[in-house]
Amino acid sequence: MLKNTKNVEILETKIILEKYKENIESIQKSLNQLEFEVSHLQSEGLVELEKLANELNMLQLLSTSIKFKANNLNCNNNKTIVSSITE
């Protein structure tokens, strides 16, 4: 009877271990899928950050250009005013 009980315990343990194995495999598949999705999101995020950096750079260049033109206009206006007053 004792031998029979041990065989049942071994069989139950084997069944439980098989379920654990299935659960672990399922968790591993989920983790792999999650890793893939996170990697995809990161690459999309990096692309968006690069686009944003390029747009900011273009805005800086535009701002510098506008400032330079405004300074030129200001200087030209001063020359015109000064020259018209002195004449």
Side-chain angles (χ1 to χ4, degrees):
M1 189 78 173
L2 185 64
K3 189 175 185 180
N4 203 10
T5 309
K6 285 197 180 210
N7 283 339
V8 170
E9 287 176 2
I10 290 173
L11 184 62
E12 287 176 354
T13 303
K14 187 175 180 180
I15 292 170
I16 290 171
L17 288 175
E18 282 296 317
K19 287 183 182 180
Y20 279 140
K21 182 182 176 186
E22 289 172 12
N23 288 338
I24 288 171
E25 288 172 352
S26 175
I27 289 169
Q28 285 176 333
K29 285 180 185 176
S30 295
L31 287 172
N32 284 337
Q33 181 63 30
L34 180 62
E35 182 181 3
F36 173 76
E37 290 175 11
V38 166
S39 175
H40 181 70
L41 288 173
Q42 283 177 332
S43 67
E44 281 184 4
L46 290 176
V47 168
E48 291 301 315
L49 283 174
E50 188 174 339
K51 285 181 186 177
L52 181 60
N54 287 338
E55 289 175 2
L56 286 172
N57 189 28
M58 287 172 48
L59 284 172
Q60 269 186 320
L61 291 173
L62 181 61
S63 172
T64 302
S65 175
I66 290 171
K67 184 177 179 183
F68 178 76
K69 287 179 182 179
N71 284 339
N72 279 343
L73 285 173
N74 195 14
C75 288
N76 288 339
N77 284 339
N78 286 340
K79 285 180 185 176
T80 306
I81 292 170
V82 169
S83 62
S84 64
I85 291 175
T86 56
E87 289 178 6

